[in-house]
Amino acid sequence: MELNLKLNLDASTLKADFPLLGREVNGKPIVYLDSAATSQKPQSVLDAMDDYYRSINANVHRGAYYIADLATTAMEETRSKVQRFIGAASPREIILTKNATEAINLVAHSWGREYLSEGDVIVTTIMEHHANIVPWHILCADRGTRLRWLNLNVNGNLKLDDLDETLDGARLVVLSAMSNVLGAIPPIRQIADAAHEKGAVVVLDGAQFVPHLPTDVAELGADFLAFSGHKMCGPTGIGVLWGREDLLEAMPPFLGGGEMILDVTTEGFLPNDLPWKFEAGTPPIAEAIGLGAAVDYLADIGMPAIREHDRKLTAYALRTLPGRFGDKLNIHGPADTSERGGVLSFTFGDIHAHDISQVLDGEAVCVRAGHHCAKPLMDTLGVTATARASVYLYNDESDIDALADALERVGDFFG
Amino acid sequence: MPALEDLYREIVLDHYRNPRNRGELPCPPAKRAKGFNPLCGDEVIVFVEVDEGGRISDVRIDGQGCSISQAAASMMSVSVKGKTLSEARELERAFKTMMVIEGGGSPSSPADLGDLAALQGVKKFPVRIKCATLCWNTLSEGLTTE
């Protein structure tokens, strides 16, 4: 894979790579602004999965015949592609999971139950997705560990004034690398370094970060990183846990079954080597191959270009939308695009988010409405729900303009 | 796609903007039930008081949520107030039949539903049916609570 330093991309050209973006809804061209929930898939990903089923469908790591070998190679190539994509030291550090949620649960179940006990402190943040809250609640109920929360500052990012005190005595620090509601990107390296100074292990939820920013696990400074394929142009049903090899090596298995063992007797079992120790059962082979194609697609465009495109489009939205709707529109999260991604959660007058998204749907504009699986954050923001528009590499300024036009329609019903 | 005007009828929006029977009732004698719709984050709290003759003597609605959930609760409160329990259950059945989640077709006499009939456009937006029926499920829970 050659290093790609292009800083420009042409979203209107890229749109043609995504078959779904050519469809209409309600007789109007679709305006897809929900990539924070799931991204659309380029033709190359659909082709890769289709080719697997049509030409090399066989179970992996088992058969000694030709197509079984091709299937195994194709799946393991994904592991290496992901390794290079996030700057991991070895493919042994790349665990293929169902999604980011399962990856976080793997750490909670395996590392958490092995190393944490009664009274141990886990530091998390108020802007986490439920996927990075509930596994720790479950661990607390099971092991008697305690949660301590980092709060927000006035800019809609994490408040770090009391970071040192909050980290005192912490064994584990778990945080989102980019909020799925605020778009906020906290100073990850600073938090990771401070956590390590206290002897804590750091888990990053990269579900929103990895699809949108250049990712280098060594630079981020964390110990674990979880992300999902379907938010980065790949299929659903495949995700990744990256972990430091020494930590993964020492951890007990998560799910038990085939593939994760070296030997099984009537007395017990011997776990397999990394990474397969954590991959019980037949893996999602087609999905893994689809993820490999997605990584190729993103790497070819170049993550620095994707980040710059997201940033410019976010700046355009933050400039034009308030310009058109004034105080009626309240966009949450940092105003500075250098510390946020293209996730725009907003309230519009006192109109409920679901009514907003219903009217937008009539204009073929797809946005998310609700609590975005982040109820503690909603409580902190003092709202029950927000509408959320989120952009990706195939969106351009015309999509933001279409959102604004559709918001005018919301006023027609609820103004 | 059906027209949004079918969903957001004027009478529905009126109940949303000017909710009837808003507030709380002392419990006891009233009973209280709380319902959630995780999709919209809707929350409907129903206070219901039944007199010795088995008649709903008072009802109040609290909570927050989307226009359909809150308008439906307001309209329900008007329609069940003063009704006997069996009349209220009949209304619930007729309403859910209109929403095509009970029985097969249209209610035998839509006129009996009164203003509630204005919510029939909701069934063209299947995702929102739960918003409209949340208050009825909550009332039902309140009436069966010991």
Side-chain angles (χ1 to χ4, degrees):
Chain A
M1 195 182 308
E2 86 188 74
L3 187 63
N4 198 325
L5 291 173
K6 282 181 294 183
L7 271 179
N8 286 303
L9 61 80
D10 180 3
S12 42
T13 309
L14 292 182
K15 241 174 214 188
D17 294 342
F18 294 79
L20 186 138
L21 296 177
R23 71 161 290 167
E24 296 189 338
V25 170
N26 212 9
K28 297 160 188 160
I30 194 168
V31 177
Y32 189 76
L33 289 170
D34 197 20
S35 295
T38 197
S39 69
Q40 295 304 334
K41 322 302 174 196
Q43 186 66 47
S44 61
V45 168
L46 306 179
D47 287 346
M49 296 175 71
D50 197 50
D51 284 350
Y52 161 74
Y53 280 125
R54 286 177 186 280
S55 58
I56 59 169
N57 176 47
N59 211 331
V60 291
H61 299 138
R62 311 246 203 297
Y65 46 91
Y66 180 62
I67 60 169
D69 188 42
L70 290 178
T72 303
T73 302
M75 200 189 87
E76 291 301 325
E77 270 174 5
T78 285
R79 204 184 302 278
S80 302
K81 286 173 184 176
V82 170
Q83 176 215 338
R84 290 192 294 270
F85 190 68
I86 63 169
S90 150
R92 292 161 54 82
E93 297 183 333
I94 306 297
I95 315 293
L96 298 177
T97 64
K98 185 170 69 180
N99 46 35
T101 299
E102 189 184 85
I104 293 169
N105 275 274
L106 192 165
V107 178
H109 197 94
S110 172
W111 191 92
R113 274 169 181 73
E114 182 74 4
Y115 295 107
L116 298 183
S117 55
E118 182 86 30
D120 282 344
V121 171
I122 300 168
V123 170
T124 184
T125 90
I126 203 69
M127 68 176 194
E128 298 311 305
H129 187 284
H130 294 165
N132 203 21
I133 298 175
V134 181
W136 310 112
H137 274 320
I138 292 173
L139 183 65
C140 288
D142 187 49
R143 282 293 192 265
T145 51
R146 290 180 295 136
L147 290 181
R148 204 183 279 160
W149 301 81
L150 283 169
N151 285 306
L152 295 184
N153 63 22
V154 289
N155 299 324
N157 208 327
L158 291 181
K159 179 167 166 279
L160 300 178
D161 307 352
D162 49 0
L163 179 63
D164 253 24
E165 296 94 289
T166 310
L167 292 178
D168 248 350
R171 299 283 317 278
L172 186 68
V173 176
V174 300
L175 78 155
S176 171
M178 173 173 150
S179 161
N180 72 310
V181 176
L182 304 168
I185 301 168
I188 299 157
R189 184 59 191 253
Q190 181 194 342
I191 296 168
D193 286 351
H196 286 149
E197 253 176 54
K198 308 273 184 184
V201 162
V202 178
V203 182
L204 279 186
D205 172 359
Q208 299 294 335
F209 185 98
V210 174
H212 292 271
L213 285 92
T215 302
D216 183 310
V217 291
E219 269 179 37
L220 288 170
D223 302 293
F224 293 100
L225 173 70
F227 55 100
S228 288
H230 71 94
K231 293 186 204 289
M232 51 189 285
C233 297
T236 55
I238 185 81
V240 174
L241 173 70
W242 166 81
R244 259 174 44 206
E245 188 168 342
D246 58 321
L247 293 174
L248 291 170
E249 196 66 71
M251 283 157 58
F254 173 41
L255 301 173
E259 182 111 357
M260 54 72 73
I261 49 89
L262 282 181
D263 191 23
V264 181
T265 66
T266 52
E267 308 304 315
F269 73 99
L270 190 60
N272 202 340
D273 294 331
L274 288 177
W276 306 289
K277 177 170 94 175
F278 293 108
E279 295 180 1
T282 295
I285 304 165
E287 287 75 9
I289 290 169
L291 174 60
V295 166
D296 285 343
Y297 182 80
L298 294 175
D300 186 47
I301 294 164
M303 291 309 293
I306 291 170
R307 167 57 179 158
E308 184 56 15
H309 170 77
D310 273 9
R311 204 193 55 71
K312 278 187 195 156
L313 199 50
T314 305
Y316 179 78
L318 290 175
R319 188 171 68 247
T320 58
L321 295 175
R324 199 149 152 188
F325 299 102
D327 291 345
K328 191 176 182 192
L329 182 77
N330 181 18
I331 302 175
H332 296 283
D336 181 349
T337 55
S338 70
E339 56 172 300
R340 73 170 301 151
V343 177
L344 299 156
S345 284
F346 59 92
T347 50
F348 190 61
D350 59 357
I351 305 165
H352 193 276
H354 210 103
D355 292 317
I356 295 171
S357 78
Q358 186 81 64
V359 178
L360 297 189
D361 183 43
E363 303 298 308
V365 176
C366 308
V367 302
R368 190 69 174 269
H371 54 57
H372 314 297
C373 296
K375 288 199 83 172
L377 178 58
M378 294 284 120
D379 290 344
T380 301
L381 296 174
V383 296
T384 51
T386 67
R388 181 188 71 184
S390 51
V391 303
Y392 207 8
L393 48 89
Y394 37 64
N395 293 115
D396 56 25
E397 291 180 358
S398 73
D399 296 321
I400 302 297
D401 295 342
L403 169 66
D405 291 344
L407 280 171
E408 299 276 5
R409 279 281 283 160
V410 176
D412 296 346
F413 283 96
F414 296 97
Chain B
M1 186 183 295
L4 284 171
E5 284 77 3
D6 287 345
L7 181 68
Y8 297 124
R9 299 273 296 275
E10 201 44 55
I11 190 167
V12 175
L13 290 175
D14 179 57
H15 274 268
Y16 175 50
R17 294 190 183 106
N18 309 295
R20 325 292 203 268
N21 299 306
R22 187 82 188 167
E24 302 181 4
L25 290 174
C27 302
K31 292 174 178 175
R32 175 185 185 276
K34 188 172 180 178
F36 289 103
N37 173 9
L39 174 73
C40 298
D42 298 331
E43 176 187 292
V44 169
I45 304 168
V46 176
F47 295 86
V48 58
E49 200 173 312
V50 180
D51 66 19
E52 287 170 4
R55 205 169 273 278
I56 295 176
S57 54
D58 208 352
V59 60
R60 290 280 189 282
I61 305 293
D62 202 358
Q64 55 198 353
C66 72
S67 59
I68 300 302
S69 71
Q70 301 305 303
S74 169
M75 296 166 88
M76 177 192 77
S77 73
V78 172
S79 69
V80 300
K81 206 164 167 176
K83 297 281 198 304
T84 65
L85 290 181
S86 62
E87 286 168 340
R89 293 228 160 81
E90 183 53 33
L91 268 178
E92 179 184 356
R93 196 197 61 76
F95 183 76
K96 289 185 173 175
T97 303
M98 179 177 79
M99 288 292 153
V100 214
I101 58 173
E102 269 184 27
S106 305
S108 47
S109 47
D112 295 346
L113 281 169
D115 284 357
L116 290 172
L119 285 164
Q120 64 183 318
V122 175
K123 75 178 177 203
K124 297 177 188 166
F125 298 81
V127 176
R128 304 301 290 278
I129 289 174
K130 277 185 182 166
C131 308
T133 54
L134 173 65
C135 56
W136 289 96
N137 295 334
T138 311
L139 173 69
S140 179
E141 192 191 320
L143 289 172
T144 52
T145 303
E146 283 309 311

